Amino acid sequence: MTQGGRPSKRLKVKESNEDDPFVILHGVVERHREHVTENWEALDFSAYVNLVTTPSSCSSKGLSELSSQEVKVLLSFFVAAFRSLEDEHVRGSLLKLVSLPLFASLSEERRRRELNESLKLKKYWNKLLKREKKEKVPLREKPEATFFPKLHEYFVTLLIQSEEEKSDEVEEEDRRKNIIDLFLQFVIEILGQLPTRRFVRTFLSHQGFVTRCRRAKKTLSDSKLLPLVEDLMNFEVDDHDGSAVSDEDMLAQHYEVVQKLQRMVFRDLPKLQPFALANCKKASDEAFLRTQLSKLDTEELRIFVTETCCFLDPSSDLAEERECLEQVVVDCLRRPTPRAKYLEMLPMYPTEDVLFDEEAIPESSQWSGRGRGRARGSEQSSQSASASASASFTTGLPRMNLQFLTMRDYLMRNFKLLQLEATYEIREDIMDVLPRMGAHLDGDDQVKFSGWARMASRMHLFSVVNVGPANLGEEKPSHVHAEVQIDLAHYRRQDIRNEWDAIKQHDVLFLVAMKPTGYGDAINGSSDDDASGWHGMTNVRGCEVIEIRDEKGKPLSHFKFEESYTQPNGTKRTLLVAMDPTQYHQDTLSSSSSQHVHSSFNLLVRRGAKESNFKAVLESIRDLAKEDVSLPPWLQDVFLGYGDPAMSHFTSMPDEQHLEVDFRDTFLDAEHLKTSFPGWNIDFAGGGDLQSPFFKAKFSEPLVRKESEGSTSAIIATSPGSMVVEPYEGLGSETKRNAVKFTEVQASAILSGMQKGLTMIVGPPGTGKTDVATQILELLYHNHPNQRILLITHSNQALNDLFMKIMNKNVPARYLLRLGMGEQELETDLEFSRLGRVNAMLDRRLRLLSEVERISRSLDMSDDYASTCETCSHFWLLHIKSRWEHFLGGCKESSESPALVSEKFPFKSYFENESQTLFPSANSNEENMRIAQDCFHRLEVLFSEIEECRPFELLHRQSDRLNYLMTKQAKIVAMTCTYAAMKRSDFIKLGLQFDSIIMEESAQVLDIEALIPMQLQKDIDGQARLKRVVLIGDHNQLPPVVKNMTLRQTSNLEQSLFTRLIRLGTPYIELNAQGRSRPSIAGLYNWKYNNLGNLSGVNESEFLLANAGFKFDYQFIDVGDYNGQGENAPTPHFIQNLGEAEYAVTLYQHMRLLGYPASKITILTTYNGQKALLKDVVERRCAYYPLFGRPAKIETVDRFQGQQNDFVILSLVRTKAVGHIRDARRLVVALSRARLGLFVMGRKQLFASCLELKPTFDKLLARPTELHVIQDEVHPTERKMGSKCKGVAISMEDLTRSVVEKVQQWEKSKS
């Protein structure tokens, strides 16, 4: 079995249905759409590629003989394949189809010019010609030379037919359009990747592909794909070496083309002399070009375009039409538009035109049928293949690939997709509010609202109050400020009023104009076909909060940064907001609409604080697109998906390795260190105690990977070598010790995390990812005390868990800083916010000064030295250090009498206040000197800490102190990735600097959200300061949350940087031992990992005891229809299963009756609808019974990721289709939350037949599917796991009756 539980044997062509291989291809396409990672492993890919690219299948004649459904399947197959180039079997077969032999289809002159531009290509071409002579097979007839040209020829034929023929059959037109769209998507996939675009782009350019598509106004006039094709054809990248081309260089290259053509025209075409003498800008003007070209007759123009310029293939049918020839010249000489300027022209907030454009933002409902079965074998013919496949591939949306042309390509894709995702969520929120407001017209045709909504308020006044002048070189205003007045009096509940008053600076609000056509309380908005008139809505504009004032015009407390809360005056609020200058400028360009839009707003809509973060992320991307984004050299190419991924690992950088490492308390003892480095030659030196928990290691040579792993290995391990280890005792103040016995793999991960470069750690559930991250943090702090670390996570909860652990390490609290709102949830009395840390430093300053005062008194000196940190520094130099040096000199000159140290030690009186026996009489001279040195070291630490407090004394403004703390004082700065995006511009202005990034939950972070934290600082002398990046996550668990299904599946927006790097083959370390769950429960999901074992702890203590009252530690319980019904959906996608909900609560009640604590039981489900139903049932049956109470949590699997409990009851809900539990990543999360007991409720017949879940359900269904209980046994029990016991099968109906009887008995006893 392969990883994933599927057979390792490959499906070969001869083993499939030779008469209809398209059935197999369709199955592959469907599996690709469902993100099955082992999609290509079961297919003999090269054989199928050879089959469908032979002349009999893909020549013009062969394509014309295929049915339209088969052509769709073929194109969909290649689209899916070109999206999977990371697979070596796919890559090897596909790259040759888009390689140099394509140049055989170019004209002789165009080929000569192309080859002359690259000597390397010319050399390879000559080799092809020599091989052609040896093989005696014309190069033009080979599949790699004919495959793409024949597909292009088929596309051209279909496009011409669509334009010329007038078919009355709508299905025929749709058939052609689907195939044309699929071919365009196929071209997009090829042009969007460096390894595949070089030769195809040249071929398409020579064929006038863009010009041809523009001419097809009937077929492609409204195509969403054509703009993507045009964009990629002209993208700013060097096709030969893959380097990015700046906007300035693009313009220079354009000028070079124009000038070269002008010189040619000046020499050979006197008719076009005005063109030859024009400046480059004018020579690129379309009107001017057409005027000049009109001077040539058709034949002269054809020769000029096809032979002189080589813009077009002479054999193309476009060369016969004058209009096409002119258009080709215009397209080739069009002046490029700078990308940065393009982003500046895009509005930041969606408007009504975008919000309800379902073509721009596809609805998720089109995916509702996903997972209802796939074609297997002959069960589904290729004729049924095309609709879903073509629809999923041709949305016209950008896609997050594995590779990107340049950093700007990466940023542009992310910007567009995140903007669409935000727009989708905004649309959902606005559409939830509008029906509740009940907008209607009164008798005077004035808009009134008969309803109310928590997230919307009626607007009493809107006015633009300040429009800033445009910045130099721009047309839009620098800023646009407006005032919005609302009245909270119509909210009766004070908590809702408080929510409106809690709106913060930078929160995003939406101004909505409602103009219903209905009177009274009825809403008679526009029809559903009129998107901008839903529920009477006509306009929407976004804005950002600057300030909120009460009735008396006073800003609310949190806008004045007051520490104490002041109640606002009255219920009327005036909000000062900043509108989008770009959108305002576009509105004002149409003067009629501008006045109408800004005078029609009558509704203000707010969203949650988290939902407002989208603007900060988009602004960060836009700022990055304008900058020259740089990453460390070892990360740049790997990030874009090119080069050898292993080059980013520290073993590939021997000169950069740190060979001396202070492991401190990583190892519990010397034996633990030895077991962590098996096979290593370890020499313990220095004479230290081998039982000491602190160890320093010096490696004799640079670390390398094991040879057996190979240079392209994914999972890495270092090759054994030799090291010298020096045990030592920690300082007396370092009382905290590591208690975790790290495994060999965990120790390897810790060592890798301390080195320069990229470290990727895959942490399956329960393998100690947080412990490893904490140890790396502590070791980096102590090994590199002058470096600063950025700690990033996706969620506040994970960040707080990690932060609490680092607080319990030997890292002083003054060097820790927690940014963001989640700091308030830290379970500690200390404050780790910026303000809290500044106050702590000021308090510490006073305490340290009081200690200096004690020292000065002990020396019979004035207290004035303890007045400020500055005077303390003088005191240290003049009176402390000098006395110590004098003391050392005296001890050297005099005898070695033990009393000498005691008598001459200058600070004896100060330290004897703490200990009356500072120098015991029995001590030797060496022992007394050691005590004296320890005392002086404490003084050194004291005055060094005073020096750290000195800036806070010199800086008088609180804001300056806050900024200094963040940029200079704190060594470990923790924040979420969202906060990093929100505050990026502030960090850049303040000059934040850091050397390391440790990112937990990195598999749950969007790709772009992982990049932004790396870009929070400026480069130093053109070099990135970043030295190491540690990514910790698990790509086998749930990915980042993307709400729009189309963006999640088709555009692959859910792809994290962590997952992408792993797919690219970047070396990683996979933790291989879990300590959370019983080994039997871990066995349900460990097939998704490489040799996941168990820590010794899961075979001890509570794990040895059986679950009281139950025969098995895990069971699948088959739940049939309940009252004749299985799953149902009261509203779309709100799926529920009443039977499973009732039985899950029954099982919970039974466990409570057995004595299980409610806090140890969690009920999970895979759908929000079932979660709501479970809560209702628990409220009805348990909440108000002291006998039961509520369980610890009732939650969806997705939201419970990262958490755990002893016992989990899981409801799978679905009875008609497997649903999204088919995604094995969600299954892994669902099964790995339980430590001691797991009960899964579902429909056996449905899930047993699901191929993706087979390894898990084979084990689940190997046990009885009726609950087996042990009668008369209560919790806790002394019964051991595996001991023989007689279980009794009990149906859920009988269990329900038993629970009801016991509840009735309890009620009687109480009465």
Side-chain angles (χ1 to χ4, degrees), residues 451-742:
W452 70 279
R454 189 186 199 109
M455 307 301 287
S457 178
R458 307 162 194 173
M459 193 185 304
H460 296 281
L461 178 66
F462 173 84
S463 61
V464 177
V465 297
N466 189 357
V467 179
N471 294 323
L472 185 64
E474 296 182 353
E475 297 180 356
K476 66 179 183 180
S478 58
H479 64 266
V480 179
H481 293 169
E483 285 189 351
V484 179
Q485 291 185 7
I486 60 174
D487 193 342
L488 304 180
H490 64 280
Y491 291 116
R492 298 180 180 178
R493 291 168 50 182
Q494 186 61 40
D495 60 325
I496 300 180
R497 295 185 183 183
N498 293 340
E499 289 177 6
W500 281 91
D501 285 338
I503 292 176
K504 305 185 299 299
Q505 189 178 18
H506 304 304
D507 280 359
V508 175
L509 307 176
F510 287 90
L511 310 167
V512 180
M514 302 291 292
K515 191 177 180 181
T517 58
Y519 290 86
D521 290 344
I523 303 175
N524 183 22
S526 304
S527 65
D528 289 348
D529 294 333
D530 180 12
S532 64
W534 281 39
H535 301 284
M537 190 196 75
T538 57
N539 300 104
V540 177
R541 295 292 182 270
C543 61
E544 181 179 325
V545 176
I546 299 175
E547 186 180 71
I548 303 180
R549 298 189 291 266
D550 60 17
E551 279 191 15
K552 294 185 177 181
K554 295 182 179 180
L556 271 59
S557 296
H558 53 284
F559 287 93
K560 296 184 292 183
F561 303 101
E562 295 179 351
E563 294 186 7
S564 60
Y565 176 76
T566 304
Q567 184 69 31
N569 295 295
T571 59
K572 294 181 179 180
R573 302 288 181 266
T574 300
L575 292 84
L576 181 64
V577 299
M579 302 187 68
D580 185 357
T582 303
Q583 184 62 58
Y584 182 84
H585 178 64
Q586 293 180 5
D587 289 340
T588 54
L589 290 179
S590 175
S591 57
S592 59
S593 65
S594 172
Q595 185 177 2
H596 169 71
V597 168
H598 299 132
S599 63
S600 60
F601 297 132
N602 49 20
L603 188 66
L604 185 66
V605 178
R606 66 182 175 94
R607 304 172 72 218
K610 292 183 179 180
E611 285 74 15
S612 297
N613 295 335
F614 77 94
K615 181 176 180 290
V617 178
L618 292 178
E619 286 180 335
S620 294
I621 299 175
R622 188 169 64 182
D623 292 341
L624 286 171
K626 293 187 293 184
E627 302 169 6
D628 185 13
V629 177
S630 64
L631 292 170
W634 44 265
L635 185 59
Q636 182 81 28
D637 289 343
V638 174
F639 185 89
L640 292 176
Y642 303 106
D644 181 6
M647 296 305 293
S648 62
H649 193 253
F650 78 92
T651 53
S652 300
M653 298 179 282
D655 296 337
E656 299 290 332
Q657 291 185 21
H658 296 286
L659 299 182
E660 296 185 16
V661 178
D662 185 356
F663 282 108
R664 295 182 57 78
D665 60 348
T666 302
F667 308 107
L668 304 183
D669 49 40
E671 188 61 32
H672 180 203
L673 188 149
K674 292 178 182 178
T675 58
S676 299
F677 292 94
W680 282 71
N681 180 19
I682 303 176
D683 180 20
F684 288 93
D689 183 6
L690 294 185
Q691 298 303 315
S692 171
F694 288 81
F695 297 94
K696 291 180 181 178
K698 182 177 181 179
F699 298 93
S700 59
E701 54 195 15
L703 303 173
V704 295
R705 284 182 292 157
K706 286 185 178 179
E707 294 182 2
S708 59
E709 298 291 342
S711 59
T712 59
S713 160
I715 302 178
I716 62 172
T718 52
S719 179
S722 60
M723 71 171 88
V724 177
V725 176
E726 178 185 350
Y728 70 97
E729 288 291 339
L731 298 175
S733 59
E734 295 179 329
T735 58
K736 302 171 183 176
R737 295 288 188 269
N738 167 50
V740 178
K741 188 174 184 179
F742 292 109

Side-chain angles (χ1 to χ4, degrees), residues 13 18 21 46-54 56-58:
V13 175
E18 294 184 5
S46 60
Y48 272 93
V49 170
N50 291 333
L51 176 68
V52 298
T53 56
T54 54
S56 60
S57 294
C58 277

Side-chain angles (χ1 to χ4, degrees), residues 8 342 788 1100 1141:
S8 59
Y342 168 76
R788 309 181 77 239
E1100 301 171 356

Side-chain angles (χ1 to χ4, degrees), residues 1151-1222:
M1151 295 179 70
R1152 292 288 290 123
L1153 291 172
L1154 292 177
Y1156 287 91
S1159 61
K1160 299 294 184 181
I1161 306 172
T1162 292
I1163 304 179
L1164 297 181
T1165 181
T1166 49
Y1167 290 90
N1168 281 315
Q1170 186 74 350
K1171 170 186 169 182
L1173 182 59
L1174 281 165
K1175 286 189 172 182
D1176 289 344
V1177 176
V1178 166
E1179 289 297 308
R1180 173 169 50 87
R1181 294 174 53 180
C1182 305
Y1184 302 105
Y1185 284 85
L1187 199 60
F1188 303 120
R1190 298 180 181 87
K1193 271 195 176 181
I1194 301 174
E1195 194 53 270
T1196 60
V1197 171
D1198 294 39
R1199 293 185 63 86
F1200 202 68
Q1201 182 168 344
Q1203 303 176 59
Q1204 63 183 30
N1205 208 342
D1206 287 355
F1207 303 95
V1208 170
I1209 302 171
L1210 173 64
S1211 170
L1212 298 180
V1213 186
R1214 303 303 295 271
T1215 58
K1216 299 176 183 178
V1218 173
H1220 55 216
I1221 197 68
R1222 183 189 294 276

Side-chain angles (χ1 to χ4, degrees), residues 827-842:
E827 297 178 0
T828 177
D829 293 334
L830 301 177
E831 291 188 19
F832 285 93
S833 64
R834 288 198 300 168
L835 182 60
R837 287 294 86 204
V838 167
N839 291 335
M841 289 298 293
L842 294 175

